[in-house]
Amino acid sequence: MTVTQTIETVPGVAGLPPYRAAEDPWTPDEVAELHAELQGDAERLRREIGLAETGIADLLRDSGEGAGDDQADAGTKNFEREHEMSIANNARDMLQQTERALARLAAGTYGICESCGEPVGKYRLQAFPRATLCMSCKQKQERR
């Protein structure tokens, strides 16, 4: 026997994102706060990417000067370079997600699951504003 859960949803009103019936509706102030948070995150991530790229360039420049380094020094430099690259790549991914959320907010599609078309959920978006899938679709995706 399978049990299906139906979730009542409410479409967004006056350009506000949709929400689930068990949640409080979005207010213009909440959406403005969300927009400001995403904008701030985007600016912070751009700075992080710039710093990481500068760090990578410095490490690459220094790697040529270490002709007399022993294996431990060379390994440490490689580790630091890989670490900086990882930080930069993660920041780029987060920036892309953030810019996508901002674009969806501007287009009026923010808060709609990209898989099933149902609301992602206000509380989920408040916890993770870059979410593009509702919880059930996200769980299905993670099971694959």
Side-chain angles (χ1 to χ4, degrees):
M1 180 168 112
T2 60
V3 177
T4 18
Q5 178 184 11
T6 55
I7 300 170
E8 191 177 340
T9 60
V10 181
V13 179
L16 299 175
Y19 58 96
R20 296 174 184 263
E23 299 172 332
D24 295 326
W26 287 94
T27 65
D29 287 343
E30 289 172 330
V31 174
E33 183 179 322
L34 181 72
H35 186 268
E37 178 184 344
L38 288 167
Q39 288 280 53
D41 285 350
E43 291 170 15
R44 177 185 53 80
L45 289 165
R46 285 185 193 101
R47 284 191 305 272
E48 283 181 22
I49 291 167
L51 289 172
E53 288 175 346
T54 300
I56 292 168
D58 291 345
L59 289 168
L60 288 172
R61 189 176 340 95
D62 292 345
S63 68
E65 298 172 6
D69 289 348
D70 62 14
Q71 288 179 337
D73 289 338
T76 299
K77 287 180 181 179
N78 284 338
F79 174 79
E80 288 175 357
R81 185 172 52 248
E82 292 294 323
H83 181 72
E84 286 295 324
M85 289 176 157
S86 177
I87 289 172
N89 286 334
N90 288 339
R92 281 187 196 99
D93 289 343
M94 288 293 291
L95 178 59
Q96 183 179 24
Q97 291 174 14
T98 302
E99 288 174 339
R100 188 172 178 197
L102 285 165
R104 289 177 53 121
L105 199 55
T109 58
Y110 184 80
I112 300 170
C113 178
E114 290 183 341
S115 181
C116 70
E118 293 295 320
V120 170
K122 178 181 177 181
Y123 300 138
R124 175 165 166 70
L125 289 169
Q126 286 175 326
F128 186 67
R130 293 164 199 82
T132 58
L133 300 174
C134 66
M135 281 301 294
S136 59
C137 290
K138 184 63 176 174
Q139 288 170 345
K140 288 176 192 173
Q141 180 192 52
E142 288 178 352
R143 280 187 222 128
R144 292 182 204 147

